[in-house]
């Protein structure tokens, strides 16, 4: 899905091509890699004793707490008190199954928003460069080289 930013002013076709922005501005670089829901659920199911799903979703503190709860419960299960810890961990683990999808969606939305903000900033920088070129402060070659360096960072 491409979006085109239309600028007002006297721009010829050479410059207008610079302002075609899309969610994937550079097709060689591909999409922004976000979190994968399938990986998150695989981590939840197979590596839950290490709270890998929480750490994968950026929930470091609660991941460490869940990790400690599981291993303390496992270590003290011989004294029967550990089953209480493991019971709390099991309930928490089951609740995570329902929350996991929302976490992944939220992280991916934040990453997409940050990427679009950086695209807007790059567009503003290219507009400023064009104004410098238009006013005669920089040459056309310098404008093109700076514009290309901005577009390579996308």
């Amino acid at each position: 899905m491409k979006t085109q930013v239309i600028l007002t002013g006297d721009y010829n076709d050479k410059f207008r091509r610079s302002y075609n922005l899309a969610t994937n501005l550079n097709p060689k670089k591909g999409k922004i890699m976000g979190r994968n829901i399938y990986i998150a659920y695989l981590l939840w199911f197979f590596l839950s004793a290490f709270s890998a799903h929480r750490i994968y979703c950026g929930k470091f503190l609660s991941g460490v707490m869940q990790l400690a709860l599981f291993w303390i419960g496992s270590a003290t299960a011989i004294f029967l008190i550990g089953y209480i810890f493991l019971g709390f961990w099991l309930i928490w683990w089951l609740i995570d199954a329902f929350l996991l999808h929302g976490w992944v969606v939220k992280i991916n939305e934040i990453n997409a928003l940050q990427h679009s903000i950086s695209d807007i900033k790059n567009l503003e920088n290219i507009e400023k460069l064009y104004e410098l070129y238009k006013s005669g402060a920089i040459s056309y070659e310098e404008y093109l080289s700076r514009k290309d360096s901005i577009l390579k960072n996308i």
Side-chain angles (χ1 to χ4, degrees):
M1 178 178 164
K2 288 191 173 184
T3 57
Q4 183 175 6
V5 178
I6 300 173
L7 299 173
T8 58
D10 186 24
Y11 297 104
N12 63 28
D13 288 338
K14 288 181 196 175
F15 299 110
R16 190 169 288 134
R17 278 186 238 126
S18 302
Y19 298 105
N20 290 334
L21 289 180
T23 53
N24 297 327
L25 188 61
N26 190 347
K28 292 179 183 175
K29 290 189 179 182
K31 286 186 173 183
I32 304 167
M33 291 299 296
R35 300 294 195 281
N36 187 323
I37 190 70
Y38 301 113
I39 292 174
Y41 275 107
L42 286 172
L43 291 172
W44 171 80
F45 190 76
F46 290 110
L47 295 175
S48 55
F50 301 103
S51 299
H53 62 288
R54 283 189 163 267
I55 294 169
Y56 180 71
C57 290
K59 310 262 183 214
F60 298 108
L61 183 60
S62 62
V64 170
M65 289 171 43
Q66 192 177 43
L67 175 76
L69 188 64
F70 177 81
W71 289 106
I72 289 171
S74 296
T76 58
I78 196 163
F79 304 114
L80 301 178
I81 188 110
Y83 290 113
I84 296 171
F85 291 110
L86 289 175
F88 285 124
W89 175 85
L90 180 65
I91 292 168
W92 193 359
W93 179 73
L94 291 173
I95 291 171
D96 280 354
F98 296 102
L99 299 176
L100 198 55
H101 182 268
W103 296 338
V104 171
V105 168
K106 183 179 176 184
I107 289 170
N108 288 339
E109 287 175 353
I110 289 171
N111 287 341
L113 181 63
Q114 288 173 344
H115 183 71
S116 65
I117 288 171
S118 69
D119 284 348
I120 291 169
K121 288 181 182 178
N122 287 333
L123 176 63
E124 291 171 353
N125 289 338
I126 292 173
E127 286 176 337
K128 289 175 188 174
L129 275 175
Y130 178 73
E131 293 301 322
L132 285 173
Y133 165 69
K134 200 169 147 184
S135 68
I138 60 174
S139 68
Y140 178 69
E141 292 78 20
E142 187 176 355
Y143 164 76
L144 287 179
S145 67
R146 287 185 183 184
K147 181 187 74 162
D148 289 340
S149 69
I150 290 172
L151 291 175
K152 285 179 185 175
N153 292 330
I154 295 177

